[in-house]
Amino acid sequence: MKLKATNITKSYNNCNVIQNVNINLDEGEIVSLLGISGVGKTTVFNILSGLVKPDVGKVFLEDKDITGIPGNVSYMLQKDQLFEFKTIIDNISLPLIIKGIRKEEARSIARSYLDKFGLENCEKSYPKQLSGGMRQRAAFLRTYLFSSEVALLDEPFSALDPFTKYNMYRWYLDIIKDIRLSTMFISHDIDEAILLSNRIYIMAGNPGEIVAEIKIINKPDDIIKFTLEEEFIKYKKQIIEAMNSYQN
């Protein structure tokens, strides 16, 4: 088990936002946190990343207690957060420089990943010169260089158009297999969660809590074809029923 949160509860202004959240992420696994807006998904991620300390509960990276301690796992926000005045290589190498690596060495390390992340010939480009998909790949590489063990991604594909989004899904699944990064991502999109995840946590309620866990098995490599298959529809119905039954 790579990352684990046990009995996480957090309140603001004496009002519980989330309660008794228990989730885990295994090595090399892709897990999604699915739920409507305002249910507390981002609060969970802020706690997992160490940016916020829970009122109750603990967060562990393998056997290390990282509760309330930032800098142990990488966290990619919904927007790519690239600095428009910096070249792509300088954007990507920034986490390494923050860690104390000299600029030229950091650039050299970042440069070695450009081809793998589909950013060849983009080293001297600025973010405004890149497509939406390429910007997301650059942001993801920067996230990976911050921590090559665990990445938290907050709706990483929501800003993309549908065509670009499906291309990014394919790329994302391929690169995750290659680099063996354990990832957990927030989503409001049921289809996206099914297509990308090994497991899905469904979050609902006020305060928010985990109400169901669904394992996605026997998923084919062709994710576009999978959306038309009966098995995909069964997963979708299962998720919708789980969410509706809790709301009712």
Side-chain angles (χ1 to χ4, degrees):
M1 192 175 295
K2 205 69 178 174
L3 185 69
K4 179 174 68 172
T6 58
N7 303 319
I8 296 297
T9 296
K10 181 65 181 178
S11 63
Y12 292 104
N13 299 320
N14 297 316
C15 180
N16 275 7
V17 177
I18 58 172
Q19 67 177 8
N20 299 325
V21 172
N22 292 274
I23 56 178
N24 64 273
L25 175 67
D26 292 335
E27 185 170 0
E29 192 178 30
I30 304 173
V31 171
S32 60
L33 187 59
L34 180 67
I36 63 172
S37 297
V39 77
K41 300 185 300 298
T42 298
T43 299
V44 171
F45 266 35
N46 286 339
I47 291 172
L48 292 176
S49 65
L51 296 176
V52 171
K53 190 172 182 179
D55 300 329
V56 178
K58 295 285 186 180
V59 179
F60 296 92
L61 180 61
E62 295 183 333
D63 296 326
K64 179 183 178 182
D65 185 348
I66 61 168
T67 310
I69 305 174
N72 290 282
V73 301
S74 57
Y75 188 2
M76 178 176 158
L77 302 177
Q78 185 173 348
K79 294 183 179 180
D80 59 56
Q81 303 293 327
L82 296 175
F83 292 103
E84 299 293 342
F85 59 89
K86 287 182 176 288
T87 61
I88 292 304
I89 194 65
D90 285 339
N91 265 288
I92 292 170
S93 59
L94 186 59
L96 301 175
I97 295 172
I98 292 173
K99 291 179 180 181
I101 298 175
R102 295 178 63 180
K103 181 179 287 188
E104 286 309 313
E105 183 182 355
R107 284 174 173 170
S108 179
I109 294 170
R111 192 175 292 118
S112 69
Y113 287 95
L114 291 179
D115 286 356
K116 186 185 295 289
F117 279 74
L119 295 167
E120 59 274 13
N121 303 318
C122 294
E123 177 179 339
K124 296 181 180 180
S125 299
Y126 287 88
K128 66 180 180 181
Q129 298 173 301
L130 270 58
S131 66
M134 293 176 75
R135 289 180 66 116
Q136 286 302 97
R137 290 200 294 273
F140 186 55
L141 175 51
R142 184 179 60 184
T143 301
Y144 174 69
L145 291 177
F146 180 85
S147 170
S148 60
E149 293 189 85
V150 174
L152 307 175
L153 312 178
D154 188 347
E155 295 192 76
F157 309 109
S158 61
L160 303 176
D161 65 84
F163 183 78
T164 303
K165 187 179 292 188
Y166 275 96
N167 285 335
M168 283 295 294
Y169 289 167
R170 293 191 187 97
W171 172 83
Y172 174 74
L173 290 171
D174 287 342
I175 197 70
I176 287 298
K177 290 178 183 177
D178 191 9
I179 64 179
R180 294 294 295 170
L181 179 68
S182 306
T183 58
M184 184 177 292
F185 70 96
I186 288 174
S187 181
H188 293 101
D189 188 324
I190 294 174
D191 289 14
E192 177 179 270
I194 297 170
L195 291 174
L196 297 182
S197 307
N198 302 116
R199 288 186 296 119
I200 300 170
Y201 286 112
I202 298 175
M203 199 169 179
N206 184 18
E209 57 185 327
I210 303 299
V211 298
E213 177 187 349
I214 296 174
K215 295 181 180 180
I216 308 298
I217 57 175
N218 300 324
K219 184 165 54 180
D221 292 334
D222 188 343
I223 60 172
I224 303 301
K225 183 179 178 181
F226 184 43
T227 60
L228 305 175
E229 294 181 0
E230 184 178 349
E231 193 69 17
F232 180 87
I233 304 301
K234 287 181 179 179
Y235 282 127
K236 194 167 184 176
K237 287 180 178 178
Q238 186 180 357
I239 292 169
I240 293 172
E241 287 171 2
M243 298 178 76
N244 287 342
S245 63
Y246 184 84
Q247 291 172 355
N248 293 334

